């Protein structure tokens, strides 16, 4: 276990929560980015980004940290896109693994 303060460990867990898949897509679109551009920045294939945005899989380390950093920066720049709009369908998650 880490020597970090227990509160810091809790914060680290909470900071590791991804937004819903639909919000991930909304943030990317608000920035005018393609899935390919996000994939290249994160270091994965475009299909991985597509599957993350559909909620089929979740990114794994080390790509998860990079993707989360991108999403946080986009949410700061486009706060309206970070909100999940009522009535907007969110794809269901399944248990097929991670991308």
């Amino acid at each position: 276990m880490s020597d970090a303060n227990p509160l810091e460990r809790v914060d680290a867990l909470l900071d590791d929560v991804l937004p819903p898949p639909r919000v991930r897509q909304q943030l990317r679109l608000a920035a005018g980015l393609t899935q390919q551009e996000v994939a290249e920045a994160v270091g994965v294939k475009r299909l991985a980004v597509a599957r993350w945005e559909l909620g089929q899989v979740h990114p794994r380390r080390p790509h998860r940290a990079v993707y989360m950093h991108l999403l946080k920066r986009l949410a700061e720049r486009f706060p309206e896109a970070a909100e999940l709009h009522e009535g907007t369908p969110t794809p269901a998650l399944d248990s097929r693994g991670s991308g």
Side-chain angles (χ1 to χ4, degrees), residues 36-79:
Q36 184 63 41
E37 290 170 322
V38 170
E40 289 172 3
V42 175
V44 297
K45 295 182 179 180
R46 188 206 58 81
L47 182 58
V49 174
R51 294 176 76 197
W52 296 344
E53 289 183 357
L54 290 172
Q56 293 176 339
V57 295
H58 295 292
R60 290 186 180 176
R61 298 181 203 279
H63 304 114
R64 182 181 180 93
V66 176
Y67 186 54
M68 289 186 61
H69 180 73
L70 172 67
L71 293 175
K72 285 181 184 182
R73 295 292 307 272
L74 292 176
E76 291 169 2
R77 185 171 284 180
F78 306 99

Side-chain angles (χ1 to χ4, degrees), residues 3-38:
D3 290 338
N5 172 320
L7 296 177
E8 291 172 355
R9 291 194 305 261
V10 168
D11 286 344
L13 286 175
L14 296 175
D15 287 343
D16 196 31
V17 176
L18 287 166
R22 180 71 178 143
V23 173
R24 300 171 203 172
Q25 181 184 42
Q26 288 174 185
L27 288 168
R28 177 181 58 78
L29 293 173
L33 298 171
T34 65
Q35 288 179 339
Q36 184 63 41
E37 290 170 322
V38 170

